[in-house]
Amino acid sequence: MTTPPSQPGAERTDGSSVRIGALVPLTRPGWVGAGQHLLAGIELAVREVNDAGGIAGRPLELVVRDTAADPQRAAAAVEELAGLGVAALAGEYHSVVARAAATRADALGLPFLCSSAVLDALTEQPTQWVARLSPPQSRGWQVYADFLLAAGHSRIAVAAQPSVYWAAGTRILRDHLAPRGATVTELDMSAFDATAISDATAVCDELVDNRATALLLLVGHPEPAVSIVKSVRHDQRLAEIMIGAPAGQPEFTEWATLLGDDSAAVPFLRYLPERLTPLGVRVGTALREQLAEAPSFVAFEGYDTIAVLADVLRTNGVDRAARTADSWPRVAVEGTRGQIRFFRMPGISVWQWAGTPIQVVDRDPADPGRFRILHAG
């Protein structure tokens, strides 16, 4: 259940440090690449806070827990971290996992700043305890739908696995596209076998039969996403179809490693501005050195999470969680991607950064290591 602490001396019990609980997927079936980038951003920000004197002279201390994309494991981690006396929770990438963590944090009265999960309903009822940096799924996926329309796609197929997150994405796309004359056809991937040629052929046959011009991957990574891409790319009948991945699978280097040239020209959502702030430029350089590769937007989300929490704890103190939760609407922090402020938004149960930048990008076919910005919203 536990992972090694990310800093020397973590989990001390002498009360000298200010503890932050970090929830990240670090093992399968979690999206490990995303978890590593998220943790890298969190750790960098913690180091910088401590180098600048900590919180009122007390160092920040990370207590890291691996959620492994398991909602029950995440809820249990929140219970454990609350018992360890953390001042707040940070992190999580997977939406369904973050929902379990947010629900438990709300019940316990523990402040939780969610870094990366986008599911609109992180909690069933409005809560003062949870805030979020990533945009709600409804906003990001509507931007993606606008991109599809602008690119001329009106017959869209989604290859979807059973999940609250994928079902919400399909509904958002359909609700946004149908009034504009586009159709969304769902292909059920619940029984898809990545090793079965017959299953891959059946997917391609359905795309041909539906005359789809775009296929969106609403499935797990690396499988079955990688196998579906390979099958579609090598079916001559589908030479003109666009493959898309709104959830961001192509963001990480593992995608390019597994797919090679087939990794390019798969548009996905990324939460970066056209230009980073001066802080973002500096942080990006440090993250590149730390990760030994280009940092993803998830790494910047991790950094910004700690930047916000550190500001809140400096302002309100670390000993009363209610003060932290009450401070979300007063936050005004310059992050790596713009000024961060939280608001109440219709249909969103948590405090939400309303200004999160949203892009649709892909890997350049001429250079899969380079990203092209195709659309912004």
Side-chain angles (χ1 to χ4, degrees), residues 72-276:
Q72 292 183 332
R73 184 166 172 168
V78 173
E79 291 269 4
E80 181 200 5
L81 291 166
L84 290 172
V86 299
L89 297 173
E92 194 45 49
Y93 179 81
H94 297 284
S95 281
V96 175
V97 178
R99 185 176 63 167
T103 298
R104 199 72 203 110
D106 179 48
L108 293 170
L110 182 60
F112 174 30
L113 180 50
C114 181
S115 305
S116 298
V118 300
L119 194 67
D120 281 31
L122 274 185
T123 55
E124 291 296 326
Q125 302 295 329
T127 174
Q128 73 182 88
W129 298 102
V130 184
R132 173 169 54 190
L133 288 177
S134 51
Q137 188 178 14
S138 54
R139 178 170 170 243
W141 286 49
Q142 285 178 11
V143 170
Y144 196 91
D146 288 336
F147 157 73
L148 292 172
L149 292 171
H153 296 288
S154 61
R155 299 186 66 86
I156 295 139
V158 297
Q161 291 178 307
S163 161
V164 171
Y165 174 62
W166 299 127
T170 301
R171 183 176 62 253
I172 292 163
L173 292 168
R174 184 173 284 124
D175 289 350
H176 195 71
L177 291 169
R180 294 160 177 82
T183 61
V184 176
T185 301
E186 187 170 354
L187 310 182
D188 183 5
M189 296 288 106
S190 58
F192 182 88
D193 182 351
T195 65
I197 296 175
S198 59
D199 281 8
T201 301
V203 170
C204 294
D205 289 344
E206 286 199 65
L207 294 173
V208 172
D209 292 344
N210 285 289
R211 295 184 289 118
T213 64
L215 168 66
L216 306 187
L217 303 172
L218 276 57
V219 294
H221 172 79
E223 292 297 347
V226 168
S227 292
I228 294 171
V229 172
K230 289 180 177 179
S231 299
V232 173
R233 288 284 202 230
H234 295 93
D235 190 315
Q236 291 302 312
R237 300 173 298 169
L238 301 170
E240 300 301 318
I241 199 169
M242 186 206 84
I243 302 175
Q249 293 94 325
E251 169 76 4
F252 300 95
T253 54
E254 183 184 23
W255 175 268
T257 300
L258 292 171
L259 281 166
D261 291 343
D262 288 338
S263 68
V266 179
F268 64 95
L269 285 167
R270 180 173 73 166
Y271 307 128
L272 288 177
E274 184 176 358
R275 291 182 179 84
L276 292 166

